Amino acid sequence: MFFKKENQSDMNESKKDIKKKDFRIKPYIYDFKGAITMTIRVLTNKEGPQISKHIYGQFAEHLGRCIYEGVWVGEDSDIPNNKGIRLDVVEALKQINVPVIRWPGGCFADEYHWKDGIGPKEDRKTIVNTHWGGVTENNHFGTHEYFHLLELVGADAYVNGNVGSGTVQEMQEWVEYITFEGESPMANWRKENGSEKAWEMKFFGVGNESWGCGGNMRPEYYADLYRRYRTYVRNYTDKPVYKIACGPNVDDYNWMEQVMKIAAPYMDGISLHHYSLVDGWTNKRPATNFPEKEWFSLIDSAKKMDELITKHSTIMDKYDPDKRVGLIVDEWGSWFSVENGTNPGFLYQQNTIRDAMVASLTLNIFHRHANRVKMANIAQMVNVLQAMLLTEGDKMIKTPTYHVFDLYKHHQDAELIDTYGEAKTNTDFTVSKKDGQVAVSVVNYNIDGTEEMEFDLSDFDISDSEAWIVAGDKMDAHNTFENSEVVAKTEFKDFSVENNKLTVTLPAMSVATILLKG
């Protein structure tokens, strides 16, 4: 083993500067080919923040084929279903331990009037989805169907309320309808519609993208409106509703500043939206058949999430130094041009190994900010943007992003482990512990060439291990309905454990999780 000082130019610095410099040494190992491998010191005995399972949340909007066809097929469908909810999708979501599903939007939330979506289906009002494709919806998927989906999947509720076109009374009555167990007009109405027992609603969003499609509001105006509306999001049980304010779009730091200044004491969380783009909003690029430069430009856009969370958290710290208010990244993921031949308003796109890289890097960033980021919801769950699943009639396929979520489910509610040492260029990692096990997830987003990483876990006595990998053989490797296993989660064997040190040799364009048992 050889050692190298952090910065050789330190020798030329003044004594004053030298006193400020960190002269910790970084260990390197030189393999037989001359390649340099960083050794990461894993501090398993040092306590870290909990990685909330809700970071692995999903987003299901009335958009394109996410709800209708993706989740809801109706009771009379030939596709196997439970009261209209398609079962193949349910089973796939259960496999990755989906913890929470945000619904009904998105932009759709601020034009959704919940009373149109309850009662006998033949009596429900049809509506035009003006945001997404201009299609007419029959409202067959409403409040009761949503909570049935949650029950089947085993997920928590995150309901987004209508501030843009709705009233305070409408919002108050919806919360009462969902959560009140006693005698009241709304509770009795719910019982008449078939749900004797109230539901638990863990999270509630007061408006969505109020700076844009949710009303084009100024931050000061929205902050006052939030204080008014959230007052009537009543806690009808001993489990308070976690109330989420509409936060900024990407790097709108003024929005965060003003809303936190005016409304911080009245919120439990505040949202943040950031999508990964290849070349900005006005020149969306295809999800497949792209040049090498677009591989890296998308990844660079995804990595901006770290800067956004850091800067927004700094503002939040001014008004919430105890970090009581959670940062809720309830829309994130890759956004490309739609697939040829599909409705532009449906935002249907293919999902490749490049998206798996985006998912891994973004989840790692959320982990590193676990003391502030308390929930995230990838956009979206089925058939829209960076989806977990794609459906076509009675067929369903799992995307590369789905398989990353499957790899990372071991980090849910685990304790983040502090590490010393940085990953090499085009690699990243995250480490957590839970139930006597340590999970190490690594990503190599080089487009060619393997990378070797070593993790020193001297404080953890390793007794057994198992591992899985998701990898692609080309930049746009993806699954289709004709070939659904091009990119899949498979057993990973190219690692070794010796003297409580883990050495991983990771191929290009791959993500792996190694589970170490103590």
Side-chain angles (χ1 to χ4, degrees), residues 99 317 394 433 459:
D317 287 346
D394 62 352
K433 62 181 178 180
D459 300 330

Side-chain angles (χ1 to χ4, degrees), residues 101-212:
I101 299 174
R102 180 182 181 228
W103 172 85
C107 291
F108 182 82
D110 281 287
E111 66 176 14
Y112 182 66
H113 301 282
W114 68 272
K115 293 179 182 178
D116 297 339
I118 60 173
K121 290 183 174 58
E122 62 273 16
D123 296 336
R124 297 186 188 182
K125 177 182 176 181
T126 57
I127 59 171
V128 177
N129 192 331
T130 57
H131 282 294
W132 305 118
V135 296
T136 299
E137 297 190 11
N138 59 19
N139 261 318
H140 283 192
F141 189 93
T143 302
H144 289 255
E145 291 73 28
Y146 167 66
F147 279 95
H148 182 53
L149 169 65
L150 296 180
E151 181 182 359
L152 293 176
V153 174
D156 291 328
Y158 176 10
V159 175
N160 220 131
N162 183 344
V163 171
S165 68
T167 65
V168 170
Q169 181 179 351
E170 181 180 18
M171 185 176 291
Q172 178 186 12
E173 289 180 340
W174 200 11
V175 175
E176 179 184 328
Y177 186 93
I178 290 171
T179 63
F180 187 56
E181 285 281 9
E183 290 285 329
S184 78
M186 293 300 109
N188 291 342
W189 195 10
R190 181 196 68 242
K191 295 170 186 176
E192 290 172 11
N193 288 328
S195 293
E196 183 70 26
K197 192 176 185 303
W199 299 290
E200 181 181 350
M201 183 173 63
K202 188 174 286 290
F203 304 99
F204 191 89
V206 182
N208 165 78
E209 294 193 355
S210 301
W211 36 262

Side-chain angles (χ1 to χ4, degrees), residues 335-480:
W335 194 317
F336 305 115
S337 56
V338 301
E339 290 298 298
N340 290 334
T342 65
N343 187 324
F346 282 9
L347 305 186
Y348 178 81
Q349 64 189 38
Q350 187 48 266
N351 193 296
T352 73
I353 192 64
R354 180 175 57 162
D355 298 295
M357 305 295 104
V358 168
S360 174
L361 289 166
T362 304
L363 291 170
N364 290 354
I365 290 169
F366 293 156
H367 289 188
R368 289 194 280 271
H369 293 277
N371 60 355
R372 182 59 89 176
V373 178
K374 300 304 180 184
M375 181 166 63
N377 309 81
I378 190 170
Q380 293 185 10
M381 195 165 73
V382 191
N383 289 334
V384 173
L385 298 176
Q386 191 174 346
M388 300 292 108
L389 307 166
L390 302 178
T391 67
E392 188 175 277
D394 62 352
K395 297 178 182 178
M396 183 204 74
I397 57 175
K398 300 171 180 177
T399 67
T401 298
Y402 173 94
H403 293 301
V404 170
F405 272 66
D406 199 9
L407 287 178
Y408 272 62
K409 64 187 178 186
H410 302 282
H411 298 293
Q412 291 189 15
D413 277 345
E415 181 184 329
L416 181 68
I417 295 181
D418 196 9
T419 57
Y420 167 60
E422 298 177 357
K424 292 194 296 181
T425 302
N426 296 343
T427 67
D428 195 24
F429 65 90
T430 190
V431 188
S432 71
K433 62 181 178 180
K434 181 175 67 173
D435 300 331
Q437 300 182 131
V438 170
V440 180
S441 292
V442 290
V443 56
N444 176 7
Y445 54 95
N446 281 305
I447 59 173
D448 53 48
T450 61
E451 292 288 356
E452 188 172 280
M453 302 174 71
E454 183 181 84
F455 296 87
D456 181 356
L457 295 97
S458 354
D459 300 330
F460 186 74
D461 194 10
I462 303 171
S463 63
D464 199 3
S465 60
E466 55 183 328
W468 310 268
I469 189 170
V470 174
D473 59 358
K474 58 180 182 177
M475 290 189 298
D476 68 346
H478 60 276
N479 298 328
T480 65

Side-chain angles (χ1 to χ4, degrees), residues 226-245:
Y226 169 81
R227 288 169 54 142
R228 179 187 175 208
Y229 272 66
R230 63 80 60 196
T231 301
Y232 299 94
V233 180
R234 304 291 192 190
N235 294 321
Y236 289 103
T237 73
D238 58 358
K239 296 179 179 178
V241 177
Y242 188 100
K243 302 171 185 67
I244 300 169

